[in-house]
Short mmCIF file of all heavy atoms in Angstrom, two decimals:
data_model
loop_
_atom_site.label_atom_id
_atom_site.label_comp_id
_atom_site.label_asym_id
_atom_site.label_seq_id
_atom_site.Cartn_x
_atom_site.Cartn_y
_atom_site.Cartn_z
N MET Z 1 0.90 -1.27 0.03
CA MET Z 1 -0.08 -0.03 -0.03
C MET Z 1 0.82 1.33 -0.01
O MET Z 1 0.26 2.40 0.07
CB MET Z 1 -0.89 0.00 1.31
CG MET Z 1 -2.02 -1.15 1.11
SD MET Z 1 -3.05 -0.94 -0.27
CE MET Z 1 -4.41 0.18 0.30
N LYS Z 2 2.06 1.06 0.00
CA LYS Z 2 3.07 2.23 0.02
C LYS Z 2 2.99 2.99 -1.39
O LYS Z 2 2.93 4.22 -1.21
CB LYS Z 2 4.37 1.89 0.31
CG LYS Z 2 5.35 3.12 0.56
CD LYS Z 2 6.64 2.68 1.27
CE LYS Z 2 7.39 3.80 1.70
NZ LYS Z 2 8.73 3.42 2.15
N ALA Z 3 3.06 2.21 -2.42
CA ALA Z 3 2.95 3.03 -3.74
C ALA Z 3 1.88 3.93 -3.95
O ALA Z 3 1.91 4.98 -4.40
CB ALA Z 3 3.14 1.95 -4.78
N PRO Z 4 0.45 3.45 -3.71
CA PRO Z 4 -0.71 4.14 -4.03
C PRO Z 4 -0.69 5.48 -3.16
O PRO Z 4 -1.02 6.47 -3.63
CB PRO Z 4 -1.88 3.27 -3.72
CG PRO Z 4 -1.37 1.85 -3.88
CD PRO Z 4 0.12 2.06 -3.42
N LEU Z 5 -0.15 5.37 -1.85
CA LEU Z 5 -0.20 6.53 -0.97
C LEU Z 5 0.73 7.64 -1.46
O LEU Z 5 0.47 8.79 -1.46
CB LEU Z 5 0.15 6.05 0.54
CG LEU Z 5 0.04 7.18 1.43
CD1 LEU Z 5 -1.25 7.83 1.67
CD2 LEU Z 5 0.65 6.69 2.78
N SER Z 6 1.93 7.18 -1.98
CA SER Z 6 2.92 8.05 -2.33
C SER Z 6 2.33 8.70 -3.76
O SER Z 6 2.65 9.73 -3.98
CB SER Z 6 4.14 7.37 -2.60
OG SER Z 6 4.15 6.41 -3.68
N TRP Z 7 1.70 7.90 -4.46
CA TRP Z 7 1.10 8.56 -5.79
C TRP Z 7 0.04 9.53 -5.38
O TRP Z 7 0.00 10.55 -6.19
CB TRP Z 7 0.50 7.39 -6.62
CG TRP Z 7 0.03 7.80 -7.95
CD1 TRP Z 7 0.86 8.04 -9.02
CD2 TRP Z 7 -1.25 8.12 -8.31
NE1 TRP Z 7 0.04 8.48 -9.99
CE2 TRP Z 7 -1.26 8.43 -9.66
CE3 TRP Z 7 -2.54 8.05 -7.64
CZ2 TRP Z 7 -2.37 8.75 -10.33
CZ3 TRP Z 7 -3.66 8.31 -8.28
CH2 TRP Z 7 -3.54 8.76 -9.67
N ILE Z 8 -0.81 9.24 -4.43
CA ILE Z 8 -1.82 10.28 -4.14
C ILE Z 8 -1.19 11.47 -3.46
O ILE Z 8 -1.55 12.59 -3.83
CB ILE Z 8 -2.73 9.63 -2.93
CG1 ILE Z 8 -3.63 8.48 -3.54
CG2 ILE Z 8 -3.76 10.56 -2.30
CD1 ILE Z 8 -4.28 7.59 -2.50
N LEU Z 9 -0.12 11.28 -2.70
CA LEU Z 9 0.55 12.56 -2.22
C LEU Z 9 1.19 13.32 -3.22
O LEU Z 9 1.28 14.55 -3.28
CB LEU Z 9 1.49 12.12 -1.14
CG LEU Z 9 0.84 11.57 0.13
CD1 LEU Z 9 1.97 11.18 1.18
CD2 LEU Z 9 0.05 12.58 0.84
N ALA Z 10 1.72 12.69 -4.09
CA ALA Z 10 2.43 13.32 -5.44
C ALA Z 10 1.41 14.09 -6.16
O ALA Z 10 1.59 15.17 -6.67
CB ALA Z 10 3.11 12.25 -6.24
N CYS Z 11 0.14 13.35 -6.42
CA CYS Z 11 -0.90 14.11 -7.15
C CYS Z 11 -1.35 15.44 -6.34
O CYS Z 11 -1.53 16.43 -6.98
CB CYS Z 11 -2.12 13.36 -7.39
SG CYS Z 11 -1.83 12.04 -8.67
N MET Z 12 -1.46 15.33 -5.06
CA MET Z 12 -1.91 16.40 -4.24
C MET Z 12 -0.77 17.54 -4.36
O MET Z 12 -1.11 18.68 -4.52
CB MET Z 12 -2.17 15.98 -2.84
CG MET Z 12 -3.48 15.18 -2.76
SD MET Z 12 -4.06 14.70 -1.12
CE MET Z 12 -2.84 15.13 -0.05
N ALA Z 13 0.37 17.20 -4.29
CA ALA Z 13 1.62 18.15 -4.28
C ALA Z 13 1.59 18.82 -5.62
O ALA Z 13 1.82 19.89 -5.73
CB ALA Z 13 2.83 17.35 -4.07
N ALA Z 14 1.42 18.16 -6.64
CA ALA Z 14 1.26 18.61 -8.08
C ALA Z 14 0.19 19.68 -8.22
O ALA Z 14 0.38 20.81 -8.81
CB ALA Z 14 1.26 17.55 -9.06
N LEU Z 15 -1.06 19.33 -7.66
CA LEU Z 15 -2.15 20.26 -7.88
C LEU Z 15 -1.88 21.50 -6.93
O LEU Z 15 -2.10 22.61 -7.44
CB LEU Z 15 -3.42 19.61 -7.35
CG LEU Z 15 -4.03 18.62 -8.24
CD1 LEU Z 15 -5.19 17.76 -7.55
CD2 LEU Z 15 -4.56 19.24 -9.49
N ILE Z 16 -1.22 21.35 -5.79
CA ILE Z 16 -1.04 22.45 -5.03
C ILE Z 16 0.15 23.45 -5.66
O ILE Z 16 0.02 24.64 -5.74
CB ILE Z 16 -0.49 22.05 -3.68
CG1 ILE Z 16 -1.61 21.63 -2.82
CG2 ILE Z 16 0.18 23.19 -2.90
CD1 ILE Z 16 -1.27 20.96 -1.56
N ALA Z 17 1.08 22.75 -6.29
CA ALA Z 17 2.11 23.49 -7.05
C ALA Z 17 1.46 24.27 -8.25
O ALA Z 17 1.89 25.40 -8.49
CB ALA Z 17 3.27 22.59 -7.62
N VAL Z 18 0.68 23.60 -8.95
CA VAL Z 18 -0.03 24.33 -10.01
C VAL Z 18 -0.75 25.55 -9.52
O VAL Z 18 -0.81 26.55 -10.13
CB VAL Z 18 -0.96 23.39 -10.85
CG1 VAL Z 18 -1.82 24.15 -11.80
CG2 VAL Z 18 -0.03 22.36 -11.53
N GLY Z 19 -1.48 25.30 -8.51
CA GLY Z 19 -2.34 26.42 -7.88
C GLY Z 19 -1.52 27.60 -7.41
O GLY Z 19 -1.85 28.66 -7.71
N VAL Z 20 -0.38 27.25 -6.78
CA VAL Z 20 0.46 28.35 -6.31
C VAL Z 20 1.07 29.10 -7.55
O VAL Z 20 1.21 30.36 -7.61
CB VAL Z 20 1.64 27.70 -5.35
CG1 VAL Z 20 2.79 28.80 -5.12
CG2 VAL Z 20 1.09 27.33 -4.05
N THR Z 21 1.49 28.32 -8.52
CA THR Z 21 2.04 28.92 -9.73
C THR Z 21 1.04 29.84 -10.42
O THR Z 21 1.30 30.86 -10.84
CB THR Z 21 2.50 27.87 -10.75
OG1 THR Z 21 3.37 27.05 -10.10
CG2 THR Z 21 3.19 28.47 -12.07
N LEU Z 22 -0.28 29.40 -10.51
CA LEU Z 22 -1.27 30.23 -11.15
C LEU Z 22 -1.52 31.53 -10.31
O LEU Z 22 -1.66 32.59 -10.87
CB LEU Z 22 -2.59 29.47 -11.25
CG LEU Z 22 -2.82 28.39 -12.35
CD1 LEU Z 22 -4.05 27.63 -12.15
CD2 LEU Z 22 -2.73 29.15 -13.60
N ILE Z 23 -1.47 31.41 -8.94
CA ILE Z 23 -1.66 32.66 -8.13
C ILE Z 23 -0.60 33.59 -8.28
O ILE Z 23 -0.89 34.85 -8.45
CB ILE Z 23 -1.80 32.24 -6.67
CG1 ILE Z 23 -3.17 31.45 -6.37
CG2 ILE Z 23 -1.69 33.42 -5.77
CD1 ILE Z 23 -3.18 30.87 -5.02
N VAL Z 24 0.62 33.11 -8.31
CA VAL Z 24 1.78 33.99 -8.39
C VAL Z 24 1.88 34.64 -9.77
O VAL Z 24 2.02 35.87 -9.92
CB VAL Z 24 3.11 33.21 -8.16
CG1 VAL Z 24 4.36 34.00 -8.51
CG2 VAL Z 24 3.20 32.75 -6.65
N LEU Z 25 1.56 33.82 -10.84
CA LEU Z 25 1.68 34.50 -12.20
C LEU Z 25 0.53 35.55 -12.28
O LEU Z 25 0.83 36.61 -12.95
CB LEU Z 25 1.58 33.35 -13.26
CG LEU Z 25 2.85 32.55 -13.41
CD1 LEU Z 25 2.64 31.49 -14.56
CD2 LEU Z 25 4.06 33.41 -13.82
N SER Z 26 -0.65 35.24 -11.89
CA SER Z 26 -1.77 36.07 -12.22
C SER Z 26 -1.62 37.42 -11.47
O SER Z 26 -1.79 38.53 -11.90
CB SER Z 26 -3.07 35.43 -11.95
OG SER Z 26 -3.19 35.04 -10.57
N LEU Z 27 -1.05 37.37 -10.20
CA LEU Z 27 -0.80 38.55 -9.43
C LEU Z 27 0.34 39.23 -9.83
O LEU Z 27 0.34 40.41 -9.78
CB LEU Z 27 -0.68 38.13 -7.97
CG LEU Z 27 -2.01 37.62 -7.21
CD1 LEU Z 27 -1.71 37.28 -5.70
CD2 LEU Z 27 -3.10 38.76 -7.25
N GLY Z 28 1.41 38.60 -10.42
CA GLY Z 28 2.41 39.31 -10.97
C GLY Z 28 2.12 40.10 -12.16
O GLY Z 28 2.54 41.27 -12.29
N VAL Z 29 1.41 39.43 -13.09
CA VAL Z 29 0.93 40.20 -14.23
C VAL Z 29 -0.01 41.36 -13.80
O VAL Z 29 -0.05 42.43 -14.33
CB VAL Z 29 0.11 39.28 -15.20
CG1 VAL Z 29 -0.51 40.12 -16.39
CG2 VAL Z 29 1.19 38.23 -15.73
N ALA Z 30 -0.93 41.11 -12.81
CA ALA Z 30 -1.89 42.22 -12.28
C ALA Z 30 -1.05 43.41 -11.68
O ALA Z 30 -1.48 44.39 -11.84
CB ALA Z 30 -2.78 41.61 -11.36
N ALA Z 31 0.17 43.01 -11.15
CA ALA Z 31 0.93 44.05 -10.38
C ALA Z 31 1.60 44.91 -11.43
O ALA Z 31 1.78 46.12 -11.21
CB ALA Z 31 2.01 43.42 -9.60
N VAL Z 32 1.90 44.47 -12.65
CA VAL Z 32 2.50 45.26 -13.69
C VAL Z 32 1.43 46.20 -14.43
O VAL Z 32 1.59 47.36 -14.75
CB VAL Z 32 2.97 44.34 -14.78
CG1 VAL Z 32 3.54 45.16 -15.97
CG2 VAL Z 32 4.08 43.65 -14.18
N LEU Z 33 0.19 45.77 -14.31
CA LEU Z 33 -0.81 46.59 -14.94
C LEU Z 33 -1.30 47.76 -14.10
O LEU Z 33 -1.21 47.51 -12.70
CB LEU Z 33 -2.06 45.82 -15.36
CG LEU Z 33 -1.80 44.78 -16.53
CD1 LEU Z 33 -3.08 43.76 -16.58
CD2 LEU Z 33 -1.53 45.41 -17.80
N PRO Z 34 -1.78 48.94 -14.46
CA PRO Z 34 -2.14 50.01 -13.53
C PRO Z 34 -3.40 49.64 -12.86
O PRO Z 34 -4.19 48.85 -13.28
CB PRO Z 34 -2.37 51.14 -14.53
CG PRO Z 34 -2.67 50.54 -15.90
CD PRO Z 34 -1.93 49.30 -15.97
N ARG Z 35 -3.57 50.20 -11.59
CA ARG Z 35 -4.68 50.02 -10.79
C ARG Z 35 -5.99 50.50 -11.45
O ARG Z 35 -5.93 51.46 -12.05
CB ARG Z 35 -4.52 50.56 -9.45
CG ARG Z 35 -5.68 50.17 -8.52
CD ARG Z 35 -5.35 50.28 -7.10
NE ARG Z 35 -4.16 49.54 -6.50
CZ ARG Z 35 -4.27 48.34 -6.12
NH1 ARG Z 35 -5.27 47.70 -6.20
NH2 ARG Z 35 -3.23 47.75 -5.65
N GLY Z 36 -7.02 49.65 -11.39
CA GLY Z 36 -8.17 49.96 -12.04
C GLY Z 36 -8.31 49.55 -13.51
O GLY Z 36 -9.41 49.65 -14.10
N HIS Z 37 -7.34 48.79 -14.06
CA HIS Z 37 -7.36 48.32 -15.28
C HIS Z 37 -8.25 46.98 -15.11
O HIS Z 37 -8.22 46.25 -14.32
CB HIS Z 37 -5.91 47.83 -15.74
CG HIS Z 37 -5.84 47.49 -17.17
ND1 HIS Z 37 -6.01 46.24 -17.67
CD2 HIS Z 37 -5.51 48.34 -18.23
CE1 HIS Z 37 -5.96 46.26 -19.02
NE2 HIS Z 37 -5.43 47.51 -19.27
N ARG Z 38 -9.09 46.85 -16.14
CA ARG Z 38 -10.08 45.71 -16.21
C ARG Z 38 -9.51 44.41 -16.13
O ARG Z 38 -9.93 43.47 -15.27
CB ARG Z 38 -11.02 45.88 -17.35
CG ARG Z 38 -12.44 45.98 -16.91
CD ARG Z 38 -13.42 45.81 -18.08
NE ARG Z 38 -13.24 47.03 -19.09
CZ ARG Z 38 -13.86 47.06 -20.20
NH1 ARG Z 38 -14.36 45.94 -20.81
NH2 ARG Z 38 -13.78 48.05 -20.96
N ALA Z 39 -8.43 44.22 -16.93
CA ALA Z 39 -7.74 42.82 -16.87
C ALA Z 39 -7.05 42.65 -15.59
O ALA Z 39 -7.06 41.51 -15.12
CB ALA Z 39 -6.72 42.80 -17.98
N ALA Z 40 -6.51 43.70 -14.97
CA ALA Z 40 -5.74 43.45 -13.61
C ALA Z 40 -6.81 43.02 -12.67
O ALA Z 40 -6.60 42.10 -11.80
CB ALA Z 40 -5.09 44.70 -13.29
N ASP Z 41 -7.97 43.63 -12.68
CA ASP Z 41 -9.02 43.30 -11.64
C ASP Z 41 -9.54 41.93 -11.86
O ASP Z 41 -9.75 41.15 -10.80
CB ASP Z 41 -10.22 44.39 -11.79
CG ASP Z 41 -9.85 45.76 -11.38
OD1 ASP Z 41 -8.80 45.86 -10.58
OD2 ASP Z 41 -10.42 46.79 -11.84
N ARG Z 42 -9.63 41.56 -13.04
CA ARG Z 42 -10.10 40.11 -13.37
C ARG Z 42 -9.02 39.21 -12.97
O ARG Z 42 -9.30 38.04 -12.41
CB ARG Z 42 -10.35 40.01 -14.92
CG ARG Z 42 -11.69 40.70 -15.14
CD ARG Z 42 -11.99 40.41 -16.65
NE ARG Z 42 -13.26 41.15 -17.03
CZ ARG Z 42 -13.55 41.33 -18.34
NH1 ARG Z 42 -12.88 40.87 -19.23
NH2 ARG Z 42 -14.74 42.06 -18.48
N LEU Z 43 -7.69 39.50 -13.11
CA LEU Z 43 -6.67 38.64 -12.74
C LEU Z 43 -6.69 38.43 -11.24
O LEU Z 43 -6.44 37.45 -10.66
CB LEU Z 43 -5.30 39.01 -13.19
CG LEU Z 43 -5.00 38.80 -14.67
CD1 LEU Z 43 -3.91 39.55 -15.13
CD2 LEU Z 43 -4.83 37.36 -14.95
N ARG Z 44 -6.85 39.62 -10.40
CA ARG Z 44 -6.89 39.45 -9.01
C ARG Z 44 -8.10 38.68 -8.54
O ARG Z 44 -7.95 37.92 -7.53
CB ARG Z 44 -7.00 40.90 -8.43
CG ARG Z 44 -5.62 41.69 -8.54
CD ARG Z 44 -5.77 43.01 -7.88
NE ARG Z 44 -4.59 43.90 -8.34
CZ ARG Z 44 -4.70 44.72 -9.17
NH1 ARG Z 44 -5.77 45.03 -9.76
NH2 ARG Z 44 -3.52 45.37 -9.47
N ALA Z 45 -9.19 38.72 -9.15
CA ALA Z 45 -10.48 37.97 -8.87
C ALA Z 45 -10.14 36.51 -9.18
O ALA Z 45 -10.50 35.61 -8.33
CB ALA Z 45 -11.64 38.52 -9.63
N PHE Z 46 -9.48 36.13 -10.22
CA PHE Z 46 -9.19 34.79 -10.51
C PHE Z 46 -8.05 34.32 -9.57
O PHE Z 46 -8.30 33.00 -9.09
CB PHE Z 46 -8.37 34.70 -11.96
CG PHE Z 46 -7.87 33.42 -12.25
CD1 PHE Z 46 -8.75 32.36 -12.64
CD2 PHE Z 46 -6.45 33.19 -12.29
CE1 PHE Z 46 -8.18 31.07 -12.84
CE2 PHE Z 46 -5.98 31.98 -12.58
CZ PHE Z 46 -6.87 30.89 -12.94
N ALA Z 47 -7.09 35.11 -9.14
CA ALA Z 47 -6.18 34.60 -8.13
C ALA Z 47 -6.94 34.28 -6.79
O ALA Z 47 -6.54 33.47 -6.00
CB ALA Z 47 -5.15 35.62 -7.91
N ALA Z 48 -7.99 35.02 -6.41
CA ALA Z 48 -8.66 34.83 -5.25
C ALA Z 48 -9.54 33.56 -5.25
O ALA Z 48 -9.74 32.75 -4.25
CB ALA Z 48 -9.69 35.90 -5.07
N GLN Z 49 -9.89 33.06 -6.59
CA GLN Z 49 -10.64 31.89 -6.76
C GLN Z 49 -9.82 30.43 -6.90
O GLN Z 49 -10.36 29.47 -6.72
CB GLN Z 49 -11.52 31.91 -7.96
CG GLN Z 49 -12.66 32.92 -7.88
CD GLN Z 49 -13.58 32.66 -6.78
OE1 GLN Z 49 -13.92 31.55 -6.53
NE2 GLN Z 49 -14.06 33.61 -6.09
N VAL Z 50 -8.49 30.70 -7.02
CA VAL Z 50 -7.61 29.56 -7.35
C VAL Z 50 -7.59 28.49 -6.19
O VAL Z 50 -7.75 27.27 -6.33
CB VAL Z 50 -6.19 29.94 -7.80
CG1 VAL Z 50 -5.35 28.78 -7.78
CG2 VAL Z 50 -6.26 30.60 -9.19
N PRO Z 51 -7.50 28.99 -4.95
CA PRO Z 51 -7.55 28.04 -3.80
C PRO Z 51 -8.71 27.12 -3.72
O PRO Z 51 -8.56 25.94 -3.44
CB PRO Z 51 -7.35 28.92 -2.57
CG PRO Z 51 -6.77 30.16 -3.10
CD PRO Z 51 -7.24 30.43 -4.47
N SER Z 52 -9.93 27.69 -4.14
CA SER Z 52 -11.14 26.88 -4.04
C SER Z 52 -11.07 25.78 -5.15
O SER Z 52 -11.49 24.65 -5.04
CB SER Z 52 -12.42 27.56 -4.18
OG SER Z 52 -12.27 28.84 -3.99
N PHE Z 53 -10.50 26.23 -6.40
CA PHE Z 53 -10.41 25.27 -7.41
C PHE Z 53 -9.42 24.10 -7.11
O PHE Z 53 -9.66 22.97 -7.40
CB PHE Z 53 -9.93 25.96 -8.69
CG PHE Z 53 -10.92 26.90 -9.26
CD1 PHE Z 53 -10.48 28.10 -9.93
CD2 PHE Z 53 -12.17 26.78 -9.15
CE1 PHE Z 53 -11.28 29.01 -10.53
CE2 PHE Z 53 -13.22 27.72 -9.56
CZ PHE Z 53 -12.77 28.93 -10.31
N VAL Z 54 -8.28 24.54 -6.47
CA VAL Z 54 -7.33 23.52 -6.24
C VAL Z 54 -7.86 22.64 -5.09
O VAL Z 54 -7.66 21.27 -5.21
CB VAL Z 54 -6.09 24.19 -5.64
CG1 VAL Z 54 -4.98 23.23 -5.05
CG2 VAL Z 54 -5.34 24.87 -6.85
N LEU Z 55 -8.39 23.16 -4.15
CA LEU Z 55 -9.01 22.24 -3.02
C LEU Z 55 -10.06 21.18 -3.64
O LEU Z 55 -10.17 20.05 -3.26
CB LEU Z 55 -9.51 23.06 -1.82
CG LEU Z 55 -8.56 23.65 -1.08
CD1 LEU Z 55 -9.09 24.49 0.08
CD2 LEU Z 55 -7.48 22.69 -0.30
N GLY Z 56 -10.97 21.88 -4.45
CA GLY Z 56 -11.98 20.96 -5.25
C GLY Z 56 -11.27 19.90 -6.04
O GLY Z 56 -11.83 18.72 -5.99
N GLY Z 57 -10.34 20.18 -6.74
CA GLY Z 57 -9.66 19.27 -7.49
C GLY Z 57 -8.96 18.14 -6.73
O GLY Z 57 -9.12 17.12 -6.93
N ILE Z 58 -8.38 18.41 -5.57
CA ILE Z 58 -7.82 17.51 -4.65
C ILE Z 58 -8.87 16.62 -4.06
O ILE Z 58 -8.84 15.40 -4.05
CB ILE Z 58 -7.06 18.17 -3.37
CG1 ILE Z 58 -5.74 18.76 -4.08
CG2 ILE Z 58 -6.65 17.23 -2.40
CD1 ILE Z 58 -5.00 19.71 -3.03
N ALA Z 59 -10.04 17.18 -3.78
CA ALA Z 59 -11.12 16.43 -3.20
C ALA Z 59 -11.60 15.40 -4.21
O ALA Z 59 -11.93 14.34 -3.97
CB ALA Z 59 -12.19 17.27 -2.60
N HIS Z 60 -11.74 15.98 -5.48
CA HIS Z 60 -12.22 15.00 -6.53
C HIS Z 60 -11.34 13.91 -6.89
O HIS Z 60 -11.73 12.71 -7.07
CB HIS Z 60 -12.50 15.84 -7.76
CG HIS Z 60 -13.78 16.47 -7.86
ND1 HIS Z 60 -13.80 18.00 -7.48
CD2 HIS Z 60 -15.06 16.21 -7.93
CE1 HIS Z 60 -15.10 18.33 -7.52
NE2 HIS Z 60 -15.87 17.30 -7.84
N VAL Z 61 -9.94 14.21 -6.86
CA VAL Z 61 -8.91 13.15 -7.07
C VAL Z 61 -8.97 12.02 -5.94
O VAL Z 61 -9.04 10.92 -6.25
CB VAL Z 61 -7.59 13.81 -7.18
CG1 VAL Z 61 -6.51 12.62 -7.18
CG2 VAL Z 61 -7.44 14.58 -8.45
N ASN Z 62 -9.06 12.56 -4.72
CA ASN Z 62 -9.12 11.59 -3.56
C ASN Z 62 -10.36 10.86 -3.58
O ASN Z 62 -10.42 9.53 -3.41
CB ASN Z 62 -8.94 12.38 -2.20
CG ASN Z 62 -7.60 12.87 -2.02
OD1 ASN Z 62 -6.74 12.40 -2.62
ND2 ASN Z 62 -7.42 13.84 -1.09
N PHE Z 63 -11.58 11.52 -3.93
CA PHE Z 63 -12.76 10.72 -4.08
C PHE Z 63 -12.67 9.69 -5.12
O PHE Z 63 -13.12 8.53 -4.89
CB PHE Z 63 -13.95 11.70 -4.35
CG PHE Z 63 -15.26 10.86 -4.45
CD1 PHE Z 63 -15.87 10.45 -3.52
CD2 PHE Z 63 -15.79 10.84 -5.87
CE1 PHE Z 63 -17.16 9.81 -3.62
CE2 PHE Z 63 -16.90 10.17 -6.00
CZ PHE Z 63 -17.58 9.61 -4.96
N LEU Z 64 -12.14 9.94 -6.26
CA LEU Z 64 -12.10 8.97 -7.26
C LEU Z 64 -11.09 7.75 -6.93
O LEU Z 64 -11.34 6.66 -7.21
CB LEU Z 64 -11.58 9.60 -8.66
CG LEU Z 64 -12.48 10.59 -9.36
CD1 LEU Z 64 -11.88 11.35 -10.45
CD2 LEU Z 64 -13.64 9.81 -9.75
N ILE Z 65 -10.04 8.10 -6.39
CA ILE Z 65 -8.95 7.13 -5.99
C ILE Z 65 -9.50 6.15 -4.88
O ILE Z 65 -9.71 4.95 -5.02
CB ILE Z 65 -7.66 7.79 -5.49
CG1 ILE Z 65 -7.05 8.43 -6.76
CG2 ILE Z 65 -6.84 6.59 -4.85
CD1 ILE Z 65 -5.81 9.15 -6.32
N PHE Z 66 -10.09 6.77 -3.75
CA PHE Z 66 -10.61 6.03 -2.70
C PHE Z 66 -11.93 5.23 -3.05
O PHE Z 66 -12.24 4.13 -2.64
CB PHE Z 66 -10.77 6.75 -1.54
CG PHE Z 66 -9.37 7.09 -0.81
CD1 PHE Z 66 -9.10 8.41 -0.72
CD2 PHE Z 66 -8.48 6.18 -0.44
CE1 PHE Z 66 -7.84 8.75 -0.24
CE2 PHE Z 66 -7.23 6.55 0.01
CZ PHE Z 66 -6.96 7.83 0.20
N GLY Z 67 -12.76 5.98 -3.96
CA GLY Z 67 -13.90 5.33 -4.53
C GLY Z 67 -13.67 4.11 -5.31
O GLY Z 67 -14.28 3.06 -5.28
N GLY Z 68 -12.74 4.30 -6.17
CA GLY Z 68 -12.28 3.15 -7.05
C GLY Z 68 -11.70 1.96 -6.27
O GLY Z 68 -11.94 0.76 -6.46
N ILE Z 69 -10.83 2.29 -5.18
CA ILE Z 69 -10.49 1.20 -4.29
C ILE Z 69 -11.45 0.48 -3.57
O ILE Z 69 -11.56 -0.64 -3.48
CB ILE Z 69 -9.44 1.85 -3.29
CG1 ILE Z 69 -8.10 2.24 -3.94
CG2 ILE Z 69 -8.98 0.74 -2.17
CD1 ILE Z 69 -7.09 2.96 -3.09
N ALA Z 70 -12.54 1.28 -3.18
CA ALA Z 70 -13.76 0.62 -2.46
C ALA Z 70 -14.44 -0.16 -3.45
O ALA Z 70 -14.95 -1.25 -3.01
CB ALA Z 70 -14.56 1.83 -1.89
N VAL Z 71 -14.60 0.20 -4.61
CA VAL Z 71 -15.30 -0.61 -5.63
C VAL Z 71 -14.56 -1.96 -6.03
O VAL Z 71 -15.17 -2.93 -5.97
CB VAL Z 71 -15.67 0.24 -6.90
CG1 VAL Z 71 -16.16 -0.70 -7.94
CG2 VAL Z 71 -16.64 1.27 -6.61
N VAL Z 72 -13.27 -1.83 -6.01
CA VAL Z 72 -12.49 -2.96 -6.40
C VAL Z 72 -12.49 -3.97 -5.23
O VAL Z 72 -12.72 -5.18 -5.39
CB VAL Z 72 -11.05 -2.59 -6.69
CG1 VAL Z 72 -10.08 -3.84 -6.60
CG2 VAL Z 72 -10.86 -1.84 -7.92
N VAL Z 73 -12.46 -3.44 -3.95
CA VAL Z 73 -12.50 -4.33 -2.84
C VAL Z 73 -13.91 -4.99 -2.71
O VAL Z 73 -14.03 -6.18 -2.41
CB VAL Z 73 -12.22 -3.56 -1.43
CG1 VAL Z 73 -12.65 -4.30 -0.21
CG2 VAL Z 73 -10.70 -3.10 -1.46
N LEU Z 74 -14.95 -4.21 -2.99
CA LEU Z 74 -16.24 -4.75 -2.95
C LEU Z 74 -16.41 -5.89 -4.03
O LEU Z 74 -16.97 -6.96 -3.67
CB LEU Z 74 -17.28 -3.70 -3.21
CG LEU Z 74 -18.80 -4.11 -3.25
CD1 LEU Z 74 -19.14 -4.52 -1.72
CD2 LEU Z 74 -19.62 -3.00 -3.63
N PHE Z 75 -15.95 -5.74 -5.18
CA PHE Z 75 -16.03 -6.69 -6.27
C PHE Z 75 -15.17 -7.93 -5.87
O PHE Z 75 -15.71 -9.14 -6.11
CB PHE Z 75 -15.53 -6.20 -7.60
CG PHE Z 75 -16.55 -5.33 -8.33
CD1 PHE Z 75 -16.30 -4.37 -9.24
CD2 PHE Z 75 -17.88 -5.52 -8.06
CE1 PHE Z 75 -17.14 -3.54 -9.85
CE2 PHE Z 75 -18.91 -4.73 -8.75
CZ PHE Z 75 -18.54 -3.74 -9.62
N VAL Z 76 -14.05 -7.80 -5.20
CA VAL Z 76 -13.24 -8.88 -4.91
C VAL Z 76 -13.91 -9.66 -3.75
O VAL Z 76 -13.92 -11.00 -3.80
CB VAL Z 76 -11.80 -8.42 -4.42
CG1 VAL Z 76 -11.06 -9.52 -3.53
CG2 VAL Z 76 -10.99 -7.97 -5.64
N VAL Z 77 -14.62 -9.03 -2.90
CA VAL Z 77 -15.22 -9.71 -1.74
C VAL Z 77 -16.52 -10.53 -2.28
O VAL Z 77 -16.80 -11.58 -1.96
CB VAL Z 77 -15.56 -8.73 -0.70
CG1 VAL Z 77 -16.59 -9.37 0.45
CG2 VAL Z 77 -14.38 -8.17 0.06
N LEU Z 78 -17.18 -9.75 -3.20
CA LEU Z 78 -18.54 -10.35 -3.69
C LEU Z 78 -18.28 -11.58 -4.70
O LEU Z 78 -19.10 -12.50 -4.67
CB LEU Z 78 -19.37 -9.24 -4.27
CG LEU Z 78 -20.00 -8.28 -3.38
CD1 LEU Z 78 -20.79 -7.19 -4.17
CD2 LEU Z 78 -20.91 -9.02 -2.49
N PHE Z 79 -17.26 -11.44 -5.45
CA PHE Z 79 -17.05 -12.45 -6.46
C PHE Z 79 -15.93 -13.36 -6.35
O PHE Z 79 -15.62 -14.07 -7.15
CB PHE Z 79 -16.86 -11.73 -7.88
CG PHE Z 79 -18.09 -10.82 -8.28
CD1 PHE Z 79 -18.05 -9.59 -8.41
CD2 PHE Z 79 -19.32 -11.35 -8.52
CE1 PHE Z 79 -19.09 -8.68 -8.73
CE2 PHE Z 79 -20.29 -10.69 -8.97
CZ PHE Z 79 -20.25 -9.37 -9.05
N SER Z 80 -15.47 -13.50 -5.09
CA SER Z 80 -14.46 -14.49 -4.83
C SER Z 80 -15.02 -15.56 -3.93
O SER Z 80 -16.00 -15.69 -3.59
CB SER Z 80 -13.27 -13.83 -4.09
OG SER Z 80 -13.66 -13.36 -2.89
#
């Protein structure tokens, strides 16, 4: 069971890294644009939404992995 756990943690770390990168890049571009610029305001709003997207993605990945494991265990128990 060590390999699946490390794979799950690697997926979560990759999603968190993508989220942090999106936040940094969007806020960096927004900092270059003048205040009140429409695109800068949209980038700041997007950066505020990224953490919820990342947490939702992690929850969906974990649900799919553990749900798949539960279904496989159920099939093994029922059909063996």
Side-chain angles (χ1 to χ4, degrees):
M1 291 304 271
K2 190 173 186 179
L5 182 61
S6 63
W7 187 77
I8 293 169
L9 292 176
C11 286
M12 289 183 357
L15 284 171
I16 290 171
V18 167
V20 168
T21 303
L22 283 173
I23 291 172
V24 168
L25 287 177
S26 61
L27 288 178
V29 171
V32 173
L33 297 171
R35 186 157 305 269
H37 195 274
R38 238 190 287 166
D41 293 338
R42 288 183 182 168
L43 283 170
R44 287 184 192 99
F46 172 74
Q49 294 296 320
V50 169
S52 352
F53 295 147
V54 170
L55 291 177
I58 289 173
H60 283 101
V61 167
N62 285 338
F63 176 74
L64 290 175
I65 290 171
F66 290 119
I69 291 171
V71 168
V72 168
V73 168
L74 182 65
F75 282 152
V76 167
V77 169
L78 288 177
F79 297 113
S80 63

